[in-house]
Amino acid sequence: MSRGQLRIYLGAAPGVGKTFAALEEARRRLERGTDVVIGFVETHGRTHTAELLNGLETVPRHTIEYRGAPFEEFDVDAVLARAPRVALVDELAHTNVPGSRNGKRWQDIDELLDAGIDVISTVNVQHLESLNDVVAQITGVPQRETVPDEVVRRADQVELADITPEALRRRMVHGNVYPAEKVDPALSNYFRVGNLTALREIALLWLADKVEDQLEQYREAQHITATWESKERVVVALSGGDEGDTLIRRAARIAARSGGADLKAVYVASGDGLTSARSARNLARQRNLVEDLGGSYHQVVGDSIPESLLEFARGVNATQLVLGASRRGRFAQAISRGVGVTTTAQSGKIDVHLVSHERVATVKRPRGARGFIGGTRRRLGIALALLGIPALCMLLLPLHEELSLTTMILIVLTAVMGLTLTGGMWPALLGALSGSILLNYFFTEPYNTLKVHDQEQLIALAIFIALALGGASVVNLSAARARLAARASAEAQTLTTLAGNVLRGGNRVADLLEQLRETFSLESVTLLERTEPGAGPAERQDPRLWRVVASAGESCTSPGAAENDLPIADDLALALRGHTLEAGDRRIAQAFAMHAAAALERERLERQAEAVQRLTDTDKLRTALLAAVSHDLRTPLASTRVAVSSLRSTGDLFTAEERDELLESAETSLARLTSLVDNLLDMSRLQAGVLGANPVRVALDDAVPWALDEIGDAAAAVGLDVAPDLPEVLADPGLLQRILVNVVANALRFSPEGVPPLVIAGRHGDLVELRVVDRGPGVPDEDRELMFTPFQRLGDRDNTSGVGLGLALSRGLAEAMGGTLVPEATPGGGLTMVLALPRADDGRGTE
């Protein structure tokens, strides 16, 4: 059974029309005869959205009871049993009620996809895990329900439900998004034009990255290597010289002028040279520089620098290439055009920038590398052997009566030795053969024949041939060793880069596979895990026995389907597609494979550790709750029971005043019990992310006295310094009052007798800060965050002052309203609790 397809409607904010567009798509498919059902749709009371549900089959929801209250959730089993072709399941990032089969709705959707059911879903950009903190920083509202980016990136289709900020605000004013009582607070807080514009840009950029990934997958699948200028990408080539810093900065400026183009730096570890220690230091520094400028560093292995450079540039779909201008002399340029000119000539549609710089590259080729004999040099050597040696003999022919045979042999031998340095073994053999024949023919008696009458001349010719062959052998051996040394150096550099990534923390499996793919210019690299045991060689060809753990490029379904199959363990393998690796390259790839296996094991252990930690935290919370509540529930219940039972059994024996006292004791105990239960319920809602806050304009000069009145007579002596012209704040009045009551009551509890707390409010930038100052014993710096741990009283010595929820709950309530609650030391001793809330007149709702 093939896996179902996932289509997601992505929105920048609530109300942009994601669910509406999803329902329209469902109706279109239904009209085409597709079997479509509604698995779960949340209309939020929007009439136009609810109208689209008419005529669509809706699967009943599953009711789950949690803490005495019923909750409706998506019924996975019912949809699986119904087995439609398409199911619409709204709110991808939704967190299921505890007791559900899966913790998240996207996990429910995964089950439908595995069953071959196509799914249509929706999600807002603020719920994406990678953007959660960015959106919270912009809007001031943290989102506790998130979905991993990879879940959305894996979707077959992602469509943006887009609308301008002005249109969305008009839609809200018309009552098409929120009820009337929530419109004004929303427009002046979350739905400001600036917020909506920023969220829209974030959604567009995220979707653009998704489209870019799809484009790369298409290019790889179709084997397209030509550059498509869909987005500017600037590649800067590094040689390991001092000029690299200049090139990187110039490339960064080019990328910035190109509208935020991608910046990539690449170093080619070539097979015709070793890397010096100075070059390694330069590359390490330049890698930090390019990453600081927002780019990425890459390293590839190749014998031809221009070819490897262009292959990398085309592989990343680069549009511009930055190179350092050559500072070689004219003679060197006459012999070889150099990297810059060669790259420019072969670049095709890629724009090449040759940048002049003050520093000349100081990377010198080691001695061993100069002996490397390439194809061009070998062809040049053969040409010299066939043409140069005969030409030299023709020049010596007029001098044969003036020069001895020995002198002529030495002259030709010198030429042959130069030939061996140029072309290696085979041109040297050819030169030695042609030289010996020509020397014999023209310069030994009898002339113009191949006969030799003089034994001494024969010995001289034999020595000439031996020396020529010996020199060629030495040069060839030197070249072979230079080639091995260069390859070893390239391997060492690649492994050094791998080790550097480990130290930098870039050791995620996906990152390692992508680095391996780039290093050897492969089409794809896939890490596969065996799902069930197989038998015989055919098991590595059977995709049913393997599952993809991670991949870079288009994934491979089995190890045997790739050109390179690297076994890692009995149940792990690395499949490399693109071209067959040489033995030396396979050694490096095997190192990558082993590290990828270790990274995979580490990721799994981290996930297990996180799960264990969550269970441990839950167990600690449960233990603390039982320990704390056991006393705080028992005390008011016991007091209430004694008072009520006394009134019932011996009520006639008490005077009216005594009865009132007993009733007051029962009422106080019940109020204490109610407060405790309310705190426990609110803390559970906060931790579940379901406690809602409705911020409105609140004046602190009214809110603070209300909170003090609720505390009672104990707060009568609290000092107040709240200016009546202080700007109003955006806050939920009920939640704000609870915060103030908890914080002021805590300050009263620890204030020394005769020195009551002081409440001060003032303006601080775009915030209004309310400070509750006490002169008590204070709290050490290392224990200040511990105060906000649920069920934690510092020292845990006092079991009569509450369960330790007040400050933890207060901070959670403040954050739910977009504010903060932080402790500071009071100058001269004591503790100051600082409550910061957004101003209501900071431009929200007036843009």
PDB file of all heavy atoms in Angstrom, residues 717-734:
ATOM      1  N   ALA A 717      -1.101  48.374  55.660  1.00  0.00           N
ATOM      2  CA  ALA A 717       0.100  49.188  55.851  1.00  0.00           C
ATOM      3  C   ALA A 717       1.000  49.213  54.619  1.00  0.00           C
ATOM      4  O   ALA A 717       2.061  49.853  54.634  1.00  0.00           O
ATOM      5  CB  ALA A 717       0.894  48.660  57.050  1.00  0.00           C
ATOM      6  N   VAL A 718       0.633  48.512  53.547  1.00  0.00           N
ATOM      7  CA  VAL A 718       1.475  48.471  52.343  1.00  0.00           C
ATOM      8  C   VAL A 718       1.550  49.860  51.722  1.00  0.00           C
ATOM      9  O   VAL A 718       0.525  50.532  51.525  1.00  0.00           O
ATOM     10  CB  VAL A 718       0.920  47.464  51.324  1.00  0.00           C
ATOM     11  CG1 VAL A 718       1.701  47.541  50.012  1.00  0.00           C
ATOM     12  CG2 VAL A 718       0.980  46.056  51.890  1.00  0.00           C
ATOM     13  N   GLY A 719       2.784  50.316  51.439  1.00  0.00           N
ATOM     14  CA  GLY A 719       2.961  51.627  50.835  1.00  0.00           C
ATOM     15  C   GLY A 719       2.694  51.601  49.337  1.00  0.00           C
ATOM     16  O   GLY A 719       3.017  50.629  48.658  1.00  0.00           O
ATOM     17  N   LEU A 720       2.105  52.661  48.802  1.00  0.00           N
ATOM     18  CA  LEU A 720       1.758  52.749  47.389  1.00  0.00           C
ATOM     19  C   LEU A 720       2.412  53.971  46.768  1.00  0.00           C
ATOM     20  O   LEU A 720       2.391  55.059  47.349  1.00  0.00           O
ATOM     21  CB  LEU A 720       0.236  52.840  47.199  1.00  0.00           C
ATOM     22  CG  LEU A 720      -0.599  51.604  47.531  1.00  0.00           C
ATOM     23  CD1 LEU A 720      -2.067  51.891  47.299  1.00  0.00           C
ATOM     24  CD2 LEU A 720      -0.167  50.436  46.681  1.00  0.00           C
ATOM     25  N   ASP A 721       2.993  53.763  45.593  1.00  0.00           N
ATOM     26  CA  ASP A 721       3.555  54.863  44.815  1.00  0.00           C
ATOM     27  C   ASP A 721       3.207  54.628  43.350  1.00  0.00           C
ATOM     28  O   ASP A 721       4.054  54.295  42.527  1.00  0.00           O
ATOM     29  CB  ASP A 721       5.067  54.949  45.024  1.00  0.00           C
ATOM     30  CG  ASP A 721       5.674  56.165  44.327  1.00  0.00           C
ATOM     31  OD1 ASP A 721       4.896  56.993  43.800  1.00  0.00           O
ATOM     32  OD2 ASP A 721       6.924  56.270  44.290  1.00  0.00           O
ATOM     33  N   VAL A 722       1.914  54.769  43.045  1.00  0.00           N
ATOM     34  CA  VAL A 722       1.410  54.549  41.692  1.00  0.00           C
ATOM     35  C   VAL A 722       0.834  55.868  41.193  1.00  0.00           C
ATOM     36  O   VAL A 722      -0.191  56.339  41.707  1.00  0.00           O
ATOM     37  CB  VAL A 722       0.333  53.452  41.657  1.00  0.00           C
ATOM     38  CG1 VAL A 722      -0.156  53.227  40.224  1.00  0.00           C
ATOM     39  CG2 VAL A 722       0.884  52.149  42.238  1.00  0.00           C
ATOM     40  N   ALA A 723       1.484  56.469  40.216  1.00  0.00           N
ATOM     41  CA  ALA A 723       1.035  57.758  39.702  1.00  0.00           C
ATOM     42  C   ALA A 723      -0.293  57.600  38.969  1.00  0.00           C
ATOM     43  O   ALA A 723      -0.475  56.651  38.198  1.00  0.00           O
ATOM     44  CB  ALA A 723       2.086  58.348  38.764  1.00  0.00           C
ATOM     45  N   PRO A 724      -1.221  58.528  39.167  1.00  0.00           N
ATOM     46  CA  PRO A 724      -2.525  58.402  38.483  1.00  0.00           C
ATOM     47  C   PRO A 724      -2.436  58.602  36.970  1.00  0.00           C
ATOM     48  O   PRO A 724      -3.311  58.144  36.241  1.00  0.00           O
ATOM     49  CB  PRO A 724      -3.361  59.516  39.138  1.00  0.00           C
ATOM     50  CG  PRO A 724      -2.363  60.484  39.695  1.00  0.00           C
ATOM     51  CD  PRO A 724      -1.169  59.672  40.091  1.00  0.00           C
ATOM     52  N   ASP A 725      -1.382  59.285  36.489  1.00  0.00           N
ATOM     53  CA  ASP A 725      -1.234  59.489  35.048  1.00  0.00           C
ATOM     54  C   ASP A 725      -0.369  58.423  34.384  1.00  0.00           C
ATOM     55  O   ASP A 725       0.089  58.584  33.252  1.00  0.00           O
ATOM     56  CB  ASP A 725      -0.635  60.870  34.769  1.00  0.00           C
ATOM     57  CG  ASP A 725       0.734  61.049  35.423  1.00  0.00           C
ATOM     58  OD1 ASP A 725       1.081  60.221  36.303  1.00  0.00           O
ATOM     59  OD2 ASP A 725       1.444  62.011  35.079  1.00  0.00           O
ATOM     60  N   LEU A 726      -0.130  57.327  35.090  1.00  0.00           N
ATOM     61  CA  LEU A 726       0.657  56.228  34.538  1.00  0.00           C
ATOM     62  C   LEU A 726      -0.093  55.614  33.360  1.00  0.00           C
ATOM     63  O   LEU A 726      -1.316  55.447  33.411  1.00  0.00           O
ATOM     64  CB  LEU A 726       0.898  55.162  35.605  1.00  0.00           C
ATOM     65  CG  LEU A 726       1.944  54.080  35.301  1.00  0.00           C
ATOM     66  CD1 LEU A 726       3.339  54.686  35.279  1.00  0.00           C
ATOM     67  CD2 LEU A 726       1.867  52.978  36.355  1.00  0.00           C
ATOM     68  N   PRO A 727       0.622  55.270  32.256  1.00  0.00           N
ATOM     69  CA  PRO A 727      -0.081  54.665  31.110  1.00  0.00           C
ATOM     70  C   PRO A 727      -0.778  53.376  31.501  1.00  0.00           C
ATOM     71  O   PRO A 727      -0.317  52.634  32.375  1.00  0.00           O
ATOM     72  CB  PRO A 727       1.055  54.398  30.111  1.00  0.00           C
ATOM     73  CG  PRO A 727       2.153  55.312  30.511  1.00  0.00           C
ATOM     74  CD  PRO A 727       2.055  55.463  31.993  1.00  0.00           C
ATOM     75  N   GLU A 728      -1.881  53.111  30.853  1.00  0.00           N
ATOM     76  CA  GLU A 728      -2.578  51.855  31.080  1.00  0.00           C
ATOM     77  C   GLU A 728      -1.764  50.702  30.505  1.00  0.00           C
ATOM     78  O   GLU A 728      -0.935  50.890  29.621  1.00  0.00           O
ATOM     79  CB  GLU A 728      -3.969  51.901  30.438  1.00  0.00           C
ATOM     80  CG  GLU A 728      -4.919  52.901  31.082  1.00  0.00           C
ATOM     81  CD  GLU A 728      -6.275  52.901  30.403  1.00  0.00           C
ATOM     82  OE1 GLU A 728      -6.311  52.705  29.170  1.00  0.00           O
ATOM     83  OE2 GLU A 728      -7.293  53.082  31.096  1.00  0.00           O
ATOM     84  N   VAL A 729      -2.027  49.510  31.007  1.00  0.00           N
ATOM     85  CA  VAL A 729      -1.322  48.313  30.539  1.00  0.00           C
ATOM     86  C   VAL A 729      -2.324  47.386  29.860  1.00  0.00           C
ATOM     87  O   VAL A 729      -3.544  47.498  30.072  1.00  0.00           O
ATOM     88  CB  VAL A 729      -0.616  47.576  31.699  1.00  0.00           C
ATOM     89  CG1 VAL A 729       0.428  48.458  32.324  1.00  0.00           C
ATOM     90  CG2 VAL A 729      -1.621  47.098  32.741  1.00  0.00           C
ATOM     91  N   LEU A 730      -1.785  46.489  29.021  1.00  0.00           N
ATOM     92  CA  LEU A 730      -2.598  45.436  28.416  1.00  0.00           C
ATOM     93  C   LEU A 730      -2.510  44.205  29.299  1.00  0.00           C
ATOM     94  O   LEU A 730      -1.452  43.578  29.402  1.00  0.00           O
ATOM     95  CB  LEU A 730      -2.097  45.127  27.011  1.00  0.00           C
ATOM     96  CG  LEU A 730      -2.479  46.120  25.912  1.00  0.00           C
ATOM     97  CD1 LEU A 730      -1.767  45.764  24.618  1.00  0.00           C
ATOM     98  CD2 LEU A 730      -3.977  46.125  25.691  1.00  0.00           C
ATOM     99  N   ALA A 731      -3.610  43.853  29.944  1.00  0.00           N
ATOM    100  CA  ALA A 731      -3.588  42.716  30.859  1.00  0.00           C
ATOM    101  C   ALA A 731      -5.000  42.187  31.028  1.00  0.00           C
ATOM    102  O   ALA A 731      -5.992  42.876  30.780  1.00  0.00           O
ATOM    103  CB  ALA A 731      -3.006  43.124  32.210  1.00  0.00           C
ATOM    104  N   ASP A 732      -5.071  40.930  31.436  1.00  0.00           N
ATOM    105  CA  ASP A 732      -6.340  40.326  31.818  1.00  0.00           C
ATOM    106  C   ASP A 732      -6.614  40.740  33.264  1.00  0.00           C
ATOM    107  O   ASP A 732      -5.836  40.399  34.161  1.00  0.00           O
ATOM    108  CB  ASP A 732      -6.244  38.811  31.690  1.00  0.00           C
ATOM    109  CG  ASP A 732      -7.568  38.120  31.932  1.00  0.00           C
ATOM    110  OD1 ASP A 732      -8.155  38.332  33.011  1.00  0.00           O
ATOM    111  OD2 ASP A 732      -8.016  37.368  31.051  1.00  0.00           O
ATOM    112  N   PRO A 733      -7.688  41.481  33.541  1.00  0.00           N
ATOM    113  CA  PRO A 733      -7.890  42.004  34.900  1.00  0.00           C
ATOM    114  C   PRO A 733      -7.896  40.923  35.975  1.00  0.00           C
ATOM    115  O   PRO A 733      -7.288  41.094  37.041  1.00  0.00           O
ATOM    116  CB  PRO A 733      -9.254  42.714  34.797  1.00  0.00           C
ATOM    117  CG  PRO A 733      -9.403  43.037  33.346  1.00  0.00           C
ATOM    118  CD  PRO A 733      -8.731  41.930  32.611  1.00  0.00           C
ATOM    119  N   GLY A 734      -8.572  39.796  35.693  1.00  0.00           N
ATOM    120  CA  GLY A 734      -8.619  38.735  36.692  1.00  0.00           C
ATOM    121  C   GLY A 734      -7.262  38.130  36.969  1.00  0.00           C
ATOM    122  O   GLY A 734      -6.878  37.910  38.130  1.00  0.00           O
TER     123      GLY A 734
END
